[in-house]
Amino acid sequence: MDDPLTKFPGYSLRRAASAAGAELAARLAELDLRQTDASALLLIGANPDITASALGRQLDIQRANMVPLLKRLEAAGLVERHAIDGKSQGLVLTAKGADARAKALAVIEHFEGQLLARVPEEHRDHLLPALNALWLGES
Amino acid sequence: MDDPLTKFPGYSLRRAASAAGAELAARLAELDLRQTDASALLLIGANPDITASALGRQLDIQRANMVPLLKRLEAAGLVERHAIDGKSQGLVLTAKGADARAKALAVIEHFEGQLLARVPEEHRDHLLPALNALWLGES
DNA sequence: TCGGATTGCTATGGGCAACAACAATCGCTA
DNA sequence: TAGCGATTGTTGTTGCCCATAGCAATCCGA
């Protein structure tokens, strides 16, 4: 079959992200976590007392869409909120949340290792900087 | 803010694909096309009489999800189906569809050019082969 | 102190994909 | 050639992720 699509970096980007995402999602599902959950846990762990808004900005998730995400993490007992002032809330990992974060980190690092192993060695070191150039610092 | 996520190729892949996808979608919207529509048009144009199932396999879209896609393209007068045998249907571009395909191709090629221009020159030629290694030939 | 910006939230919808199930048809093989 | 497994097109449903619009409460700087 003649496929004119594989010549396009944008299309390959889409397909690669989709394939990698599905695989990572499956592994995180064993921890009862979604990808967005895991990324939020990592970021909260690295930045205790971060605000829901700031977290959303960093993850590029709208404020409105942070609500169900945090509600889920809080319901699972992984995250706690406490008022910083009258309108802002600081997010902190619970002990259970710190444990989930560690497990998620292990899963992700293992996954990332396998991902990188798939790309031929001569291209490997170029992948991350090339990808980051596509979205970092454009906002 | 400390962001432990940008060290992960998988996360950068996700974000880069999301950013690029949103941008391409916005440009294709001016042609009243979605990304999947455009990719289907390109593939049908390159492979006349392709089957809906084969097209879905190539695009990694389930048979079931091809139905609304093709229904949309057919309703827009871009694609026609004709029976190959009792159960298979061949897909062909109409004149209007060929025109839409050409316009979409121009938009995509322009977009891909801008995309590649964003990555530093020393990484540029490595992007496509690295990405393709992540999803091609794994099935 | 007052007005613009920020925060958290509700409600709603779109795009995309996954799964299960089904009837009709095809094609290989016994 | 009769039959059976595989394939095709389809319906229906669900889930994830993101976007927008709007709202009340609060913060903060001029």
Side-chain angles (χ1 to χ4, degrees):
Chain A
M1 161 141 3
D2 189 11
D3 190 340
L5 265 29
T6 53
K7 294 191 176 86
F8 295 129
Y11 183 73
S12 285
L13 186 61
R14 181 178 165 74
R15 290 292 300 271
S18 170
E23 196 174 334
L24 179 57
R27 301 196 191 179
L28 286 175
E30 298 175 12
L31 303 178
D32 278 310
L33 290 177
R34 304 178 190 174
Q35 292 186 64
T36 48
D37 297 346
S39 57
L41 287 183
L42 290 188
L43 221 43
I44 295 174
N47 304 83
D49 271 353
I50 192 177
T51 280
S53 288
L55 181 59
R57 272 191 299 271
Q58 195 68 17
L59 294 175
D60 202 26
I61 297 177
Q62 308 278 325
R63 258 175 310 141
N65 297 324
M66 293 299 299
V67 179
L69 201 176
L70 292 177
K71 196 171 292 183
R72 190 170 55 241
L73 292 179
E74 199 176 19
L78 304 179
V79 165
E80 278 177 358
R81 329 189 194 195
H82 64 268
I84 290 183
D85 57 28
K87 73 175 178 184
S88 294
Q89 308 172 1
L91 301 171
V92 188
L93 294 185
T94 63
K96 192 176 170 187
D99 184 60
R101 175 187 178 278
K103 288 179 182 169
L105 184 58
V107 166
I108 290 176
E109 284 181 335
H110 182 240
F111 169 75
E112 299 280 349
Q114 292 185 333
L115 201 65
L116 270 187
R118 281 182 213 158
V119 357
E121 196 180 346
E122 68 265 30
H123 307 306
R124 197 168 298 157
D125 291 342
H126 296 276
L127 183 58
L128 185 57
L131 288 177
N132 280 340
L134 291 181
W135 67 278
L136 274 179
E138 297 190 51
S139 61
Chain B
M1 161 136 6
D2 190 11
D3 190 340
L5 265 30
T6 52
K7 293 192 177 87
F8 295 129
Y11 183 74
S12 286
L13 186 62
R14 182 177 164 76
R15 291 291 300 269
S18 170
E23 195 174 336
L24 179 57
R27 302 196 191 178
L28 286 175
E30 298 176 11
L31 302 178
D32 278 311
L33 291 177
R34 304 177 191 173
Q35 292 187 66
T36 48
D37 296 346
S39 57
L41 287 182
L42 290 188
L43 221 43
I44 295 173
N47 304 85
D49 271 353
I50 192 178
T51 280
S53 289
L55 181 58
R57 274 190 298 271
Q58 194 69 18
L59 294 175
D60 202 26
I61 297 177
Q62 307 276 325
R63 270 196 326 280
N65 296 325
M66 293 298 299
V67 178
L69 201 176
L70 291 176
K71 197 172 290 182
R72 190 169 57 239
L73 292 179
E74 198 175 17
L78 304 179
V79 164
E80 278 178 359
R81 328 188 195 196
H82 65 268
I84 289 182
D85 57 28
K87 74 173 176 183
S88 295
Q89 309 171 2
L91 301 171
V92 187
L93 295 184
T94 63
K96 192 176 171 187
D99 184 61
R101 175 187 178 276
K103 287 178 181 169
L105 184 59
V107 166
I108 291 175
E109 285 182 336
H110 182 241
F111 169 75
E112 298 281 349
Q114 292 185 331
L115 201 65
L116 269 187
R118 281 183 213 157
V119 356
E121 195 180 345
E122 68 266 28
H123 306 307
R124 197 168 298 155
D125 291 342
H126 295 277
L127 182 58
L128 185 57
L131 287 176
N132 280 339
L134 290 181
W135 65 278
L136 275 180
E138 296 190 50
S139 59

